Amino acid sequence: MVTDYAAEGKSLARLDGKVIFIEKAVPGDVVDVKLMKNKKDWAEGFPIAYKEYSKDRVQPFCQHFGICGGCIWQMLPYHKQLQYKHQQVVDNLQRIAKVDLPAIDDIVGAGETEYYRNKLEYTFSTKRYVTNEQLAVLKKDGNVYMDVAAAGFHARGFFDKVVELETCHLQKEPTNKIRNAVSAYAKANDISFYDIRNHVGFLRNMMVRYATTGELMVNVVVGENNIKTIESLMQYMLQQFPEITTLLYTINTKFNDSIFDLEPIVYNGKGYITEKLEDYQFKISPKSFFQTNTKQAEKLYTITREFAELDGTQTVYDLYGGTGSIGIFVSNKAKKIIGVELIKEAVDDAKENATINQLSNAEFFVGDVIDICTDDFFEQHGKPDVIITDPPRAGMHEKLVKKLLDMAAPIIVYVSCNPATQARDLALLDEKYIVTKVQPVDMFPHTHHIENVVQLKLRNKE
Ligand code: SAH
Protein backbone atom coordinates (compact mmCIF):
# COMPACT_ATOMS: atom_id res chain seq x y z
CA MET A 1 0.00 0.00 0.00
CA VAL A 2 1.41 3.35 -1.07
CA THR A 3 1.23 5.72 1.86
CA ASP A 4 2.94 8.95 0.93
CA TYR A 5 4.68 11.12 -1.61
CA ALA A 6 8.46 11.41 -1.74
CA ALA A 7 10.78 13.79 -3.60
CA GLU A 8 10.77 14.16 -7.41
CA GLY A 9 7.13 13.09 -7.73
CA LYS A 10 7.75 9.52 -6.60
CA SER A 11 5.50 7.93 -4.02
CA LEU A 12 6.54 5.65 -1.21
CA ALA A 13 5.46 2.55 0.66
CA ARG A 14 6.96 0.94 3.74
CA LEU A 15 7.53 -2.80 3.89
CA ASP A 16 9.42 -4.71 6.61
CA GLY A 17 11.17 -1.56 7.78
CA LYS A 18 12.27 -0.67 4.26
CA VAL A 19 11.19 2.39 2.27
CA ILE A 20 10.18 1.66 -1.31
CA PHE A 21 10.07 4.54 -3.80
CA ILE A 22 7.55 3.95 -6.55
CA GLU A 23 6.98 5.72 -9.86
CA LYS A 24 3.48 6.32 -11.26
CA ALA A 25 1.59 5.47 -8.05
CA VAL A 26 -0.30 7.70 -5.62
CA PRO A 27 -0.92 7.35 -1.88
CA GLY A 28 -3.82 4.95 -1.38
CA ASP A 29 -2.92 2.69 -4.33
CA VAL A 30 -2.22 -0.96 -3.57
CA VAL A 31 0.34 -2.22 -6.09
CA ASP A 32 2.67 -5.04 -7.01
CA VAL A 33 6.06 -3.49 -7.65
CA LYS A 34 8.96 -4.61 -9.79
CA LEU A 35 12.12 -3.45 -8.04
CA MET A 36 14.83 -1.83 -10.15
CA LYS A 37 17.10 -1.10 -7.21
CA ASN A 38 17.19 -2.92 -3.91
CA LYS A 39 19.40 -1.59 -1.11
CA LYS A 40 19.55 -2.34 2.59
CA ASP A 41 17.21 0.44 3.78
CA TRP A 42 15.44 1.37 0.59
CA ALA A 43 14.37 0.14 -2.82
CA GLU A 44 13.01 1.68 -6.00
CA GLY A 45 10.63 0.34 -8.61
CA PHE A 46 7.46 0.72 -10.63
CA PRO A 47 4.02 -0.91 -10.45
CA ILE A 48 3.38 -3.98 -12.60
CA ALA A 49 -0.15 -4.45 -11.26
CA TYR A 50 -2.61 -2.20 -9.46
CA LYS A 51 -4.54 -4.28 -6.90
CA GLU A 52 -6.55 -1.30 -5.78
CA TYR A 53 -6.69 2.27 -6.98
CA SER A 54 -6.51 5.11 -4.47
CA LYS A 55 -9.85 6.82 -3.88
CA ASP A 56 -7.99 10.11 -4.40
CA ARG A 57 -7.43 9.38 -8.08
CA VAL A 58 -9.24 11.41 -10.72
CA GLN A 59 -9.42 10.93 -14.48
CA PRO A 60 -6.48 12.80 -16.10
CA PHE A 61 -7.82 15.41 -18.54
CA CYS A 62 -5.07 15.05 -21.13
CA GLN A 63 -5.07 12.34 -23.78
CA HIS A 64 -1.26 12.16 -23.59
CA PHE A 65 -1.12 11.60 -19.83
CA GLY A 66 1.07 8.70 -18.76
CA ILE A 67 3.54 8.65 -21.64
CA CYS A 68 4.28 12.37 -21.97
CA GLY A 69 7.00 13.55 -19.60
CA GLY A 70 5.04 16.75 -18.86
CA CYS A 71 2.23 16.73 -16.28
CA ILE A 72 2.86 13.62 -14.21
CA TRP A 73 0.36 14.44 -11.44
CA GLN A 74 -2.85 14.80 -13.42
CA MET A 75 -4.29 11.74 -11.71
CA LEU A 76 -4.47 13.74 -8.49
CA PRO A 77 -7.06 16.45 -7.87
CA TYR A 78 -5.44 19.87 -7.61
CA HIS A 79 -6.12 20.31 -3.89
CA LYS A 80 -4.29 17.03 -3.22
CA GLN A 81 -1.33 18.13 -5.36
CA LEU A 82 -1.12 21.28 -3.26
CA GLN A 83 -1.33 19.30 -0.05
CA TYR A 84 1.56 17.01 -1.09
CA LYS A 85 3.70 19.93 -2.24
CA HIS A 86 3.13 21.69 1.05
CA GLN A 87 4.06 18.51 2.91
CA GLN A 88 7.27 18.21 0.84
CA VAL A 89 8.36 21.67 1.98
CA VAL A 90 7.56 20.90 5.61
CA ASP A 91 9.36 17.52 5.44
CA ASN A 92 12.48 18.96 3.84
CA LEU A 93 12.71 21.83 6.28
CA GLN A 94 12.14 19.55 9.26
CA ARG A 95 14.29 16.57 8.22
CA ILE A 96 17.15 18.21 6.33
CA ALA A 97 17.34 21.74 7.70
CA LYS A 98 16.48 20.71 11.28
CA VAL A 99 16.15 24.35 12.28
CA ASP A 100 13.46 26.10 14.30
CA LEU A 101 10.56 26.88 12.04
CA PRO A 102 7.61 29.23 12.17
CA ALA A 103 4.13 27.98 11.26
CA ILE A 104 4.14 27.33 7.52
CA ASP A 105 1.16 28.80 5.68
CA ASP A 106 -0.70 26.85 3.03
CA ILE A 107 0.94 26.81 -0.38
CA VAL A 108 -0.32 29.58 -2.69
CA GLY A 109 -2.20 27.71 -5.40
CA ALA A 110 -2.72 28.80 -8.98
CA GLY A 111 -6.04 30.26 -10.13
CA GLU A 112 -5.49 28.70 -13.53
CA THR A 113 -4.31 25.11 -13.57
CA GLU A 114 -4.32 24.84 -17.38
CA TYR A 115 -2.83 27.12 -20.05
CA TYR A 116 -0.57 28.61 -17.41
CA ARG A 117 2.79 28.47 -19.20
CA ASN A 118 4.06 31.40 -21.24
CA LYS A 119 6.76 29.23 -22.85
CA LEU A 120 6.81 25.76 -24.39
CA GLU A 121 9.58 23.99 -26.25
CA TYR A 122 8.64 21.27 -28.68
CA THR A 123 10.93 18.67 -30.22
CA PHE A 124 10.69 17.30 -33.75
CA SER A 125 12.13 13.83 -34.03
CA THR A 126 12.33 10.76 -36.23
CA LYS A 127 11.96 8.66 -33.08
CA ARG A 128 8.30 8.57 -32.23
CA TYR A 129 7.27 6.99 -28.96
CA VAL A 130 4.75 4.26 -29.59
CA THR A 131 2.90 2.32 -26.91
CA ASN A 132 2.52 -1.45 -27.17
CA GLU A 133 -1.20 -0.98 -27.87
CA GLN A 134 -0.47 1.43 -30.73
CA LEU A 135 2.18 -0.93 -32.06
CA ALA A 136 -0.29 -3.82 -32.16
CA VAL A 137 -2.65 -1.74 -34.31
CA LEU A 138 0.17 -0.62 -36.59
CA LYS A 139 1.50 -4.14 -37.18
CA LYS A 140 0.37 -5.97 -40.27
CA ASP A 141 1.90 -9.05 -41.88
CA GLY A 142 4.74 -8.89 -39.36
CA ASN A 143 5.72 -5.39 -40.50
CA VAL A 144 5.09 -2.11 -38.71
CA TYR A 145 3.38 0.53 -40.81
CA MET A 146 3.69 3.85 -39.10
CA ASP A 147 4.82 7.42 -39.40
CA VAL A 148 7.99 7.54 -37.34
CA ALA A 149 8.19 11.33 -37.22
CA ALA A 150 6.82 13.06 -34.13
CA ALA A 151 6.34 16.62 -32.92
CA GLY A 152 5.86 17.07 -29.20
CA PHE A 153 7.57 16.40 -25.89
CA HIS A 154 10.04 13.78 -24.80
CA ALA A 155 8.41 10.62 -23.53
CA ARG A 156 8.69 10.08 -19.81
CA GLY A 157 12.07 8.51 -19.09
CA PHE A 158 13.40 8.74 -22.68
CA PHE A 159 15.90 11.29 -23.98
CA ASP A 160 15.53 10.17 -27.59
CA LYS A 161 11.83 9.35 -27.99
CA VAL A 162 9.16 11.95 -28.61
CA VAL A 163 5.44 11.73 -27.94
CA GLU A 164 3.39 12.93 -30.91
CA LEU A 165 1.13 15.57 -29.41
CA GLU A 166 -2.30 16.47 -30.64
CA THR A 167 -3.40 18.82 -27.88
CA CYS A 168 -1.33 20.02 -24.94
CA HIS A 169 -3.14 21.99 -22.22
CA LEU A 170 -0.16 23.91 -20.89
CA GLN A 171 -0.19 26.97 -23.12
CA LYS A 172 -3.11 28.71 -24.72
CA GLU A 173 -3.75 28.52 -28.43
CA PRO A 174 -2.48 28.90 -31.10
CA THR A 175 0.42 26.87 -29.66
CA ASN A 176 -1.00 23.46 -30.69
CA LYS A 177 -2.19 24.81 -34.01
CA ILE A 178 1.27 26.16 -34.83
CA ARG A 179 3.08 22.93 -33.88
CA ASN A 180 0.62 20.74 -35.78
CA ALA A 181 0.69 23.01 -38.82
CA VAL A 182 4.50 23.12 -38.95
CA SER A 183 4.60 19.35 -38.63
CA ALA A 184 2.02 18.84 -41.39
CA TYR A 185 3.71 21.38 -43.68
CA ALA A 186 7.06 19.63 -43.23
CA LYS A 187 5.58 16.23 -44.03
CA ALA A 188 3.74 17.56 -47.10
CA ASN A 189 6.91 19.20 -48.41
CA ASP A 190 9.45 16.49 -47.67
CA ILE A 191 11.14 18.49 -44.96
CA SER A 192 12.89 16.06 -42.63
CA PHE A 193 12.61 15.80 -38.84
CA TYR A 194 15.79 15.55 -36.82
CA ASP A 195 17.37 12.18 -36.17
CA ILE A 196 19.03 12.50 -32.77
CA ARG A 197 21.15 9.35 -33.12
CA ASN A 198 22.61 10.07 -36.55
CA HIS A 199 22.47 13.87 -36.21
CA VAL A 200 20.80 14.57 -39.50
CA GLY A 201 17.54 16.28 -40.40
CA PHE A 202 16.06 19.75 -40.69
CA LEU A 203 13.35 20.45 -38.09
CA ARG A 204 14.76 20.19 -34.56
CA ASN A 205 12.96 22.27 -31.95
CA MET A 206 10.43 25.04 -31.71
CA MET A 207 9.97 27.45 -28.84
CA VAL A 208 6.67 29.27 -28.49
CA ARG A 209 6.44 32.18 -26.04
CA TYR A 210 3.14 33.90 -25.46
CA ALA A 211 3.10 36.91 -23.16
CA THR A 212 0.02 38.12 -21.30
CA THR A 213 0.41 41.33 -23.34
CA GLY A 214 -0.65 39.28 -26.41
CA GLU A 215 2.80 39.30 -27.98
CA LEU A 216 3.74 35.93 -29.46
CA MET A 217 7.27 34.80 -30.31
CA VAL A 218 8.19 31.64 -32.18
CA ASN A 219 11.77 30.47 -32.64
CA VAL A 220 12.26 27.47 -34.94
CA VAL A 221 15.54 25.61 -34.48
CA VAL A 222 16.77 23.83 -37.58
CA GLY A 223 19.60 21.34 -38.03
CA GLU A 224 20.62 22.36 -41.56
CA ASN A 225 21.72 25.68 -43.00
CA ASN A 226 19.30 25.49 -45.90
CA ILE A 227 18.05 29.00 -46.55
CA LYS A 228 15.49 28.00 -49.19
CA THR A 229 13.70 25.60 -46.84
CA ILE A 230 13.93 28.07 -43.96
CA GLU A 231 12.44 30.82 -46.15
CA SER A 232 9.52 28.67 -47.32
CA LEU A 233 8.69 27.51 -43.77
CA MET A 234 8.90 31.04 -42.35
CA GLN A 235 6.66 32.40 -45.11
CA TYR A 236 4.14 29.64 -44.52
CA MET A 237 4.07 30.30 -40.76
CA LEU A 238 3.57 34.03 -41.19
CA GLN A 239 0.71 33.52 -43.62
CA GLN A 240 -1.03 30.94 -41.47
CA PHE A 241 -0.48 32.68 -38.15
CA PRO A 242 -0.65 36.46 -38.38
CA GLU A 243 -0.88 36.51 -34.56
CA ILE A 244 2.86 35.69 -34.37
CA THR A 245 4.34 39.09 -33.51
CA THR A 246 7.93 38.00 -33.94
CA LEU A 247 9.30 34.99 -35.81
CA LEU A 248 12.88 33.76 -35.54
CA TYR A 249 14.98 30.82 -36.57
CA THR A 250 18.18 29.40 -35.17
CA ILE A 251 20.57 27.15 -37.05
CA ASN A 252 21.88 24.42 -34.80
CA THR A 253 24.21 21.93 -36.46
CA LYS A 254 25.77 20.87 -33.15
CA PHE A 255 25.16 17.48 -31.54
CA ASN A 256 23.40 18.97 -28.49
CA ASP A 257 20.09 20.85 -28.36
CA SER A 258 21.29 23.88 -26.41
CA ILE A 259 21.04 27.18 -28.26
CA PHE A 260 22.87 29.24 -25.64
CA ASP A 261 25.99 29.50 -27.79
CA LEU A 262 23.99 30.23 -30.96
CA GLU A 263 22.50 33.39 -32.39
CA PRO A 264 18.76 33.32 -33.18
CA ILE A 265 18.01 35.20 -36.40
CA VAL A 266 15.02 37.51 -36.53
CA TYR A 267 12.92 36.75 -39.61
CA ASN A 268 9.99 38.98 -38.75
CA GLY A 269 9.08 41.50 -36.05
CA LYS A 270 11.30 42.94 -33.35
CA GLY A 271 12.93 39.72 -32.10
CA TYR A 272 11.59 39.85 -28.56
CA ILE A 273 8.31 40.09 -26.66
CA THR A 274 7.30 42.18 -23.68
CA GLU A 275 5.75 40.70 -20.55
CA LYS A 276 4.14 42.66 -17.73
CA LEU A 277 4.15 42.09 -13.99
CA GLU A 278 2.13 44.73 -12.12
CA ASP A 279 3.09 47.88 -14.01
CA TYR A 280 6.62 46.71 -14.74
CA GLN A 281 7.55 45.70 -18.25
CA PHE A 282 10.08 43.02 -19.11
CA LYS A 283 11.73 42.46 -22.43
CA ILE A 284 12.10 38.75 -23.14
CA SER A 285 14.61 37.72 -25.80
CA PRO A 286 14.57 34.21 -27.27
CA LYS A 287 17.40 33.03 -25.04
CA SER A 288 16.58 34.82 -21.80
CA PHE A 289 15.07 33.21 -18.74
CA PHE A 290 11.73 34.44 -17.55
CA GLN A 291 9.44 32.72 -15.03
CA THR A 292 7.17 30.54 -17.15
CA ASN A 293 3.96 31.08 -15.18
CA THR A 294 3.36 34.83 -15.37
CA LYS A 295 0.43 35.05 -12.94
CA GLN A 296 2.15 32.95 -10.28
CA ALA A 297 5.43 34.83 -10.85
CA GLU A 298 3.61 38.00 -9.85
CA LYS A 299 2.48 36.29 -6.63
CA LEU A 300 5.97 34.87 -5.99
CA TYR A 301 7.61 38.27 -6.42
CA THR A 302 4.96 39.99 -4.29
CA ILE A 303 5.71 37.56 -1.44
CA THR A 304 9.45 38.10 -1.95
CA ARG A 305 8.92 41.88 -1.73
CA GLU A 306 6.83 41.53 1.44
CA PHE A 307 9.46 39.27 3.02
CA ALA A 308 12.16 41.87 2.19
CA GLU A 309 10.32 44.39 4.44
CA LEU A 310 11.46 47.34 2.36
CA ASP A 311 10.81 50.95 3.31
CA GLY A 312 12.85 52.79 0.69
CA THR A 313 16.05 53.08 2.72
CA GLN A 314 17.63 49.69 2.05
CA THR A 315 20.40 48.49 -0.21
CA VAL A 316 19.16 45.25 -1.77
CA TYR A 317 21.30 42.58 -3.46
CA ASP A 318 19.49 40.37 -5.98
CA LEU A 319 21.72 37.29 -6.38
CA TYR A 320 21.15 34.82 -9.23
CA GLY A 321 19.13 37.68 -10.65
CA GLY A 322 18.53 36.42 -14.22
CA THR A 323 17.06 39.25 -16.26
CA GLY A 324 16.67 41.35 -13.13
CA SER A 325 12.98 40.70 -12.70
CA ILE A 326 12.91 40.36 -8.90
CA GLY A 327 15.21 43.34 -8.39
CA ILE A 328 13.14 45.50 -10.70
CA PHE A 329 9.88 44.31 -9.11
CA VAL A 330 11.02 45.43 -5.64
CA SER A 331 12.91 48.52 -6.83
CA ASN A 332 10.46 51.26 -5.96
CA LYS A 333 10.60 50.20 -2.32
CA ALA A 334 14.42 50.08 -2.18
CA LYS A 335 17.16 52.70 -2.08
CA LYS A 336 19.39 50.70 -4.36
CA ILE A 337 19.35 47.35 -6.22
CA ILE A 338 22.53 45.41 -7.02
CA GLY A 339 21.93 42.41 -9.28
CA VAL A 340 24.40 39.56 -9.90
CA GLU A 341 23.97 36.97 -12.64
CA LEU A 342 26.19 34.49 -14.50
CA ILE A 343 24.87 34.87 -18.04
CA LYS A 344 25.88 38.00 -19.91
CA GLU A 345 22.80 38.15 -22.17
CA ALA A 346 20.56 38.02 -19.11
CA VAL A 347 22.45 40.91 -17.53
CA ASP A 348 22.15 42.89 -20.79
CA ASP A 349 18.38 42.30 -20.62
CA ALA A 350 18.35 43.28 -16.94
CA LYS A 351 20.03 46.60 -17.76
CA GLU A 352 17.61 47.23 -20.59
CA ASN A 353 14.65 46.29 -18.39
CA ALA A 354 15.86 48.74 -15.77
CA THR A 355 15.91 51.47 -18.44
CA ILE A 356 12.47 50.52 -19.80
CA ASN A 357 11.05 50.80 -16.28
CA GLN A 358 12.90 54.08 -15.68
CA LEU A 359 14.91 52.82 -12.75
CA SER A 360 17.78 55.01 -11.67
CA ASN A 361 18.74 52.98 -8.61
CA ALA A 362 19.74 49.61 -10.11
CA GLU A 363 23.06 48.15 -11.22
CA PHE A 364 23.71 44.67 -12.63
CA PHE A 365 26.92 42.65 -12.71
CA VAL A 366 27.93 39.60 -14.78
CA GLY A 367 29.76 36.69 -13.24
CA ASP A 368 29.66 33.76 -10.88
CA VAL A 369 28.21 34.86 -7.53
CA ILE A 370 31.19 33.36 -5.72
CA ASP A 371 33.65 35.42 -7.78
CA ILE A 372 31.64 38.65 -7.78
CA CYS A 373 30.46 38.72 -4.16
CA THR A 374 33.77 39.56 -2.50
CA ASP A 375 34.35 41.85 0.49
CA ASP A 376 35.54 44.55 -1.94
CA PHE A 377 32.35 44.24 -3.98
CA PHE A 378 30.11 44.70 -0.96
CA GLU A 379 32.27 47.56 0.29
CA GLN A 380 32.10 49.27 -3.08
CA HIS A 381 28.33 48.96 -3.50
CA GLY A 382 27.21 49.29 0.07
CA LYS A 383 26.55 47.12 3.06
CA PRO A 384 23.59 44.87 2.27
CA ASP A 385 20.40 45.52 4.22
CA VAL A 386 18.54 42.81 2.36
CA ILE A 387 19.90 39.93 0.28
CA ILE A 388 17.52 38.19 -2.10
CA THR A 389 18.88 34.92 -3.44
CA ASP A 390 17.23 32.72 -6.08
CA PRO A 391 19.67 29.94 -7.02
CA PRO A 392 19.08 27.12 -9.52
CA ARG A 393 18.09 23.62 -8.33
CA ALA A 394 21.55 22.85 -6.94
CA GLY A 395 21.08 25.59 -4.34
CA MET A 396 23.75 28.06 -3.22
CA HIS A 397 27.45 27.35 -3.43
CA GLU A 398 28.82 26.76 0.08
CA LYS A 399 31.30 29.61 -0.42
CA LEU A 400 28.43 31.99 -1.03
CA VAL A 401 26.63 30.79 2.10
CA LYS A 402 29.82 31.55 4.06
CA LYS A 403 30.00 34.99 2.50
CA LEU A 404 26.38 35.67 3.42
CA LEU A 405 27.19 34.69 7.00
CA ASP A 406 30.16 37.13 6.93
CA MET A 407 28.08 39.96 5.50
CA ALA A 408 25.35 39.47 8.09
CA ALA A 409 22.63 41.41 6.28
CA PRO A 410 19.65 41.90 8.63
CA ILE A 411 17.30 40.08 6.22
CA ILE A 412 17.83 37.32 3.65
CA VAL A 413 14.99 36.27 1.36
CA TYR A 414 15.70 32.86 -0.14
CA VAL A 415 13.60 31.93 -3.19
CA SER A 416 14.08 28.30 -4.19
CA CYS A 417 12.86 25.82 -6.77
CA ASN A 418 14.22 22.88 -4.78
CA PRO A 419 13.26 22.63 -1.10
CA ALA A 420 15.91 19.92 -0.47
CA THR A 421 18.91 22.10 -1.36
CA GLN A 422 17.21 25.10 0.24
CA ALA A 423 16.88 23.10 3.47
CA ARG A 424 20.60 22.16 3.29
CA ASP A 425 21.53 25.85 2.92
CA LEU A 426 19.20 26.91 5.75
CA ALA A 427 21.02 24.46 8.04
CA LEU A 428 24.28 26.29 7.26
CA LEU A 429 22.73 29.73 7.69
CA ASP A 430 21.36 28.62 11.07
CA GLU A 431 24.69 29.69 12.60
CA LYS A 432 23.51 33.30 12.44
CA TYR A 433 19.99 33.32 11.05
CA ILE A 434 16.56 32.30 12.21
CA VAL A 435 13.86 31.27 9.75
CA THR A 436 11.02 33.73 10.33
CA LYS A 437 8.65 33.11 7.41
CA VAL A 438 8.05 30.31 4.91
CA GLN A 439 5.70 30.53 1.96
CA PRO A 440 5.51 27.83 -0.72
CA VAL A 441 4.02 28.81 -4.09
CA ASP A 442 2.75 26.52 -6.83
CA MET A 443 4.11 27.67 -10.17
CA PHE A 444 3.57 24.37 -12.01
CA PRO A 445 0.19 22.65 -11.51
CA HIS A 446 0.10 18.91 -12.37
CA THR A 447 3.87 18.58 -11.92
CA HIS A 448 5.77 17.85 -8.72
CA HIS A 449 7.79 21.07 -8.91
CA ILE A 450 7.69 23.41 -5.93
CA GLU A 451 8.79 26.98 -5.37
CA ASN A 452 9.42 28.14 -1.82
CA VAL A 453 10.19 31.53 -0.33
CA VAL A 454 11.88 31.79 3.06
CA GLN A 455 12.58 34.89 5.13
CA LEU A 456 15.61 34.74 7.42
CA LYS A 457 16.52 37.30 10.07
CA LEU A 458 19.83 37.84 11.79
CA ARG A 459 19.59 36.36 15.27
CA ASN A 460 20.94 39.25 17.31
CA LYS A 461 18.46 41.58 15.63
CA GLU A 462 15.51 39.55 16.88
N1 SAH B 1 15.79 35.51 -10.13
C1 SAH B 1 15.58 35.29 -11.53
C2 SAH B 1 16.29 34.05 -12.11
C3 SAH B 1 16.30 32.80 -11.29
S1 SAH B 1 16.91 31.39 -12.12
C4 SAH B 1 14.10 35.26 -11.84
O1 SAH B 1 13.25 35.13 -10.97
O2 SAH B 1 13.75 35.39 -13.02
C5 SAH B 1 18.55 31.26 -11.50
C6 SAH B 1 19.54 32.13 -12.23
O3 SAH B 1 20.83 31.91 -11.63
C7 SAH B 1 19.72 31.85 -13.71
O4 SAH B 1 19.52 33.05 -14.41
C8 SAH B 1 21.18 31.38 -13.84
O5 SAH B 1 21.79 31.81 -15.02
C9 SAH B 1 21.83 32.02 -12.64
N2 SAH B 1 23.04 31.35 -12.13
C10 SAH B 1 23.28 30.03 -12.05
N3 SAH B 1 24.46 29.80 -11.44
C11 SAH B 1 24.99 31.01 -11.15
C12 SAH B 1 26.20 31.42 -10.53
N4 SAH B 1 27.09 30.52 -10.10
N5 SAH B 1 26.41 32.75 -10.37
C13 SAH B 1 25.49 33.65 -10.80
N6 SAH B 1 24.33 33.31 -11.40
C14 SAH B 1 24.08 32.01 -11.58
Side-chain angles (χ1 to χ4, degrees), residues 289 291 301 320-322 325-326 340-343 367-369 390-392:
F289 175 87
Q291 293 284 349
Y301 291 175
Y320 304 92
S325 37
I326 295 183
V340 181
E341 159 64 38
L342 185 63
I343 295 179
D368 192 316
V369 282
D390 183 11

Side-chain angles (χ1 to χ4, degrees), residues 443-454:
M443 312 288 284
F444 305 103
H446 313 303
T447 77
H448 61 277
H449 295 290
I450 308 169
E451 203 81 17
N452 189 41
V453 194
V454 168

Side-chain angles (χ1 to χ4, degrees), residues 152-188:
F153 295 133
H154 287 275
R156 194 169 172 189
F158 291 88
F159 85 97
D160 62 340
K161 292 212 168 65
V162 168
V163 178
E164 168 79 350
L165 289 181
E166 197 175 291
T167 306
C168 169
H169 301 255
L170 282 172
Q171 189 180 38
K172 66 178 182 173
E173 292 296 357
T175 191
N176 290 298
K177 291 191 184 119
I178 297 173
R179 184 198 60 247
N180 293 345
V182 167
S183 176
Y185 179 80
K187 287 177 185 174

Side-chain angles (χ1 to χ4, degrees), residues 10-267:
K10 288 184 184 133
S11 60
L12 68 83
R14 287 189 175 84
L15 197 66
D16 305 331
K18 200 184 243 192
V19 180
I20 305 172
F21 297 101
I22 310 167
E23 295 250 359
K24 297 190 178 185
V26 307
D29 284 346
V30 179
V31 288
D32 285 344
V33 175
K34 181 175 166 62
L35 296 183
M36 304 305 284
K37 277 187 195 158
N38 197 356
K39 304 273 158 92
K40 193 164 145 273
D41 303 327
W42 62 276
E44 201 175 281
F46 60 88
I48 42 170
Y50 290 86
K51 302 283 178 190
E52 223 174 274
Y53 282 115
S54 166
K55 62 179 180 0
D56 287 341
R57 277 181 180 262
V58 290
Q59 185 64 29
F61 55 81
C62 178
Q63 71 199 93
H64 306 294
F65 174 78
I67 53 168
C68 175
C71 312
I72 64 167
W73 269 12
Q74 270 184 34
M75 72 300 216
L76 282 176
Y78 189 53
H79 72 271
K80 275 278 165 193
Q81 297 176 16
L82 291 177
Q83 188 186 319
Y84 288 126
K85 289 188 188 192
H86 186 259
Q87 194 55 44
Q88 273 284 306
V89 171
V90 173
D91 285 354
N92 276 297
L93 295 189
Q94 283 176 349
R95 289 189 199 148
I96 303 175
K98 297 193 176 101
V99 298
D100 291 336
L101 294 171
I104 300 176
D105 280 344
D106 281 348
I107 184 167
V108 176
E112 289 171 14
T113 56
E114 289 178 49
Y115 314 111
Y116 61 80
R117 287 187 65 102
N118 54 36
K119 177 176 107 173
L120 280 185
E121 283 174 279
Y122 300 114
T123 301
F124 295 88
S125 168
T126 54
K127 295 257 180 297
R128 179 169 171 186
Y129 181 87
V130 193
T131 61
N132 286 336
E133 292 82 16
Q134 286 169 327
L135 204 59
V137 177
L138 295 162
K139 251 186 190 159
K140 278 186 203 119
D141 329 320
N143 293 317
V144 179
Y145 296 91
M146 63 173 284
D147 179 0
V148 289
F153 295 133
H154 287 275
R156 194 169 172 189
F158 291 88
F159 85 97
D160 62 340
K161 292 212 168 65
V162 168
V163 178
E164 168 79 350
L165 289 181
E166 197 175 291
T167 306
C168 169
H169 301 255
L170 282 172
Q171 189 180 38
K172 66 178 182 173
E173 292 296 357
T175 191
N176 290 298
K177 291 191 184 119
I178 297 173
R179 184 198 60 247
N180 293 345
V182 167
S183 176
Y185 179 80
K187 287 177 185 174
N189 292 281
D190 282 330
I191 297 173
S192 56
F193 285 28
Y194 196 68
D195 176 340
I196 198 170
R197 289 204 183 268
N198 297 309
H199 300 287
V200 288
F202 183 78
L203 268 184
R204 261 185 106 151
N205 305 97
M206 183 171 76
M207 186 183 68
V208 180
R209 279 183 136 165
Y210 208 169
T212 54
T213 52
E215 293 187 343
L216 176 61
M217 168 163 66
V218 181
N219 180 22
V220 182
V221 182
V222 299
E224 291 165 1
N225 192 352
N226 180 340
I227 291 300
K228 238 179 99 186
T229 311
I230 293 170
E231 178 78 26
S232 74
L233 177 65
M234 297 278 114
Q235 279 302 325
Y236 169 76
M237 290 174 74
L238 284 182
Q239 267 163 22
Q240 292 294 309
F241 301 100
E243 55 275 61
I244 296 176
T245 53
T246 188
L247 181 62
L248 305 94
Y249 65 91
T250 307
I251 298 168
N252 180 11
T253 53
K254 298 179 305 168
F255 281 10
N256 67 52
D257 270 346
S258 164
I259 62 160
F260 274 98
D261 47 355
L262 301 170
E263 201 46 58
I265 297 160
V266 183
Y267 186 79

